[in-house]
Amino acid sequence: MQLRLLSSVLFAVVLAGCTAEADPSSTSAPPAQPVDVAPVLYAQYSPEYTFTTRLESPQQVALRPRVSGVIESVEFREGSHVKRGDLLFRIDARPFAAEVARLEAELNRAQAALRQARSEAQRAKRLQGRNAMSAEQAESRLSVASQRLAELGSVKAALEAARLNLEFTQVRAPIDGQVSNAFITAGNNVQAGQSVLTSLVATDRLYAYFDVDERTWNASFAAVKMNSETEAQLSLAGNHDQKYHGVIDFIDNRINEQTGTLRVRAVLASADAGLRPGAFARIQLKAEASQPKIVVPDRAVGTDLKSRFVLIVNDSNVLEYRRVELGRREGALRIVESGLEPGERIAVNGPARVGPGMPVAPRDVKIEAQDLTLVAQLSKPSA
């Protein structure tokens, strides 16, 4: 009796176990992972390139005296802006004034000598006409008159040079611009053409020269001309938030064979505060032609051993692996050259907590376009 009861119990247990294995509803499926999902951006994109440069003034002058002498006075405020013709230095003019006075007296003597020689030459002609003077004597007087005329011309030239030297004792600004400090002060002797008194730089505009490699130029800037008013933005070292605007006004006539680069220049109005010749700066230049491109958040891109990829969300809300070719990074966004189509949805936060083949619960979010111009969003192409 007891053996029959034990057999019945064991049979009931085995039957219950088999029933549990056969019932698929007894094992619950894992819940879908919540994931931020957004359609990729499809936007007009012009790549922006950055080049380094140092600002240059279009005119720079190392001011040297034209005459030697002693500095009598400095006539400008150091660091100030001056106009062309403003007096900057005075050199002791007394030796030069004395030379002018001497040559003026010499000029009077030469003029008197010329008058006398001409008078004697005319008298010789009259006497020769009456056969009262030999031809040889008359010819000699005419020669003396010619000599006196040449002497007068020589004295006039020397007097003009002396007057110029006297004028050069006043050293004036040759250009409009900003003057540096006085390198040589009053009481010091200076040598003509050698001593540097100060320096001036023109400040009405500034140049920024930079080199563009020929591959980049041909791909993005081939249509740029010197008169096309192509805009360039400039920022100074340590102050990237302040932007200065200029235009391309010079493109070199040949590519440098040694470096494979093309010399380009942007011109900027220096009325903007903070721009000085010699300053290190960065030039931002946008490509002329824009093209529609796929754009995704940079954080949506994952990396495996071979390539870059993103996770797309299919119609069944399951993640799929998609290999992509990436372009430039623009802030928090990344340009995708190939691998995605307009309208496709991606896992915005990338493969941080999820992977291919996982079912997800999409949470719709929006990708910030920053300053990109969006193209009409297309739907995902149907199969």
Side-chain angles (χ1 to χ4, degrees), residues 38-359:
V40 298
L41 294 179
Y42 192 48
Q44 289 293 134
Y45 173 67
S46 295
E48 187 173 80
Y49 298 87
T50 301
F51 308 94
T52 57
T53 182
R54 284 198 179 273
L55 299 181
E56 297 181 19
S57 171
Q59 289 182 292
Q60 305 178 55
V61 177
L63 192 63
R64 291 179 169 88
R66 297 189 181 186
V67 295
S68 300
V70 176
I71 296 292
E72 190 173 71
S73 62
V74 178
E75 301 290 337
F76 66 94
R77 184 168 61 87
E78 295 178 324
S80 63
H81 288 79
V82 296
K83 295 291 186 181
R84 180 178 180 179
D86 286 353
L87 180 62
L88 303 181
F89 293 88
R90 289 184 187 274
I91 297 175
D92 187 0
R94 290 173 296 178
F96 302 97
E99 180 65 9
V100 169
R102 186 188 71 79
L103 288 171
E104 285 176 343
E106 185 68 18
L107 178 65
N108 292 333
R109 185 203 63 76
Q111 289 173 337
L114 177 60
R115 285 194 297 268
Q116 181 181 357
R118 283 175 171 173
S119 177
E120 290 180 356
Q122 290 173 357
R123 188 180 301 111
K125 285 183 179 181
R126 290 195 300 269
L127 292 175
Q128 187 183 13
R130 295 197 300 265
N131 294 323
M133 178 178 282
S134 66
E136 184 178 354
Q137 289 177 320
E139 224 174 85
S140 177
R141 291 187 180 183
L142 287 172
S143 177
V144 170
S146 297
Q147 292 176 18
R148 297 293 181 265
L149 180 61
E151 290 172 358
L152 178 62
S154 177
V155 172
K156 283 183 176 180
L159 178 59
E160 181 65 24
R163 285 172 174 166
L164 282 175
N165 287 338
L166 178 60
E167 181 181 338
F168 292 154
T169 60
Q170 296 185 353
V171 183
R172 297 182 180 274
I175 60 172
D176 294 348
Q178 186 175 13
V179 66
S180 183
N181 63 301
F183 302 157
I184 302 177
T185 54
N188 289 286
N189 192 66
V190 293
Q191 297 296 318
Q194 298 182 19
S195 305
V196 179
L197 303 176
T198 188
S199 66
L200 289 90
V201 292
T203 55
D204 56 332
R205 63 189 188 279
L206 291 175
Y207 290 156
Y209 287 92
F210 56 97
D211 297 319
V212 183
D213 69 272
E214 59 182 316
R215 181 186 297 272
T216 298
W217 182 267
N218 294 335
S220 300
F221 303 107
V224 174
K225 306 298 180 185
M226 289 190 297
N227 58 355
S228 60
E229 297 293 319
T230 301
E231 183 178 356
Q233 282 194 342
L234 180 141
S235 60
L236 298 177
N239 187 11
H240 302 298
D241 295 333
Q242 176 67 49
K243 300 295 184 181
Y244 303 93
H245 299 277
V247 294
I248 301 300
D249 77 325
F250 166 78
I251 302 169
D252 208 350
N253 58 2
R254 65 190 299 271
I255 290 175
N256 187 321
E257 298 174 0
Q258 304 293 326
T259 62
T261 58
L262 181 66
R263 192 76 161 161
V264 183
R265 183 180 74 196
V267 60
L268 302 99
S270 64
D272 296 321
L275 293 182
R276 294 180 181 275
F280 179 84
R282 287 180 171 83
I283 289 282
Q284 287 86 37
L285 199 62
K286 280 194 173 183
E288 278 291 286
S290 63
Q291 297 178 348
K293 294 287 186 179
I294 299 293
V295 185
V296 301
D298 190 61
R299 68 179 185 273
V301 180
T303 304
D304 58 21
L305 294 177
K306 295 182 179 180
S307 58
R308 301 291 186 91
F309 68 93
V310 297
L311 297 175
I312 67 168
V313 182
N314 64 20
D315 294 338
S316 301
N317 291 333
V318 176
L319 296 176
E320 294 181 0
Y321 176 96
R322 182 68 62 81
R323 180 179 176 180
V324 293
E325 296 292 334
L326 300 180
R328 293 168 60 89
R329 180 172 178 172
E330 297 293 337
L333 301 178
R334 176 74 76 166
I335 306 301
V336 177
E337 298 292 345
S338 65
L340 290 175
E341 296 294 334
E344 288 190 309
R345 298 184 303 160
I346 62 169
V348 173
N349 295 319
R353 295 181 294 113
V354 292
M358 290 183 57

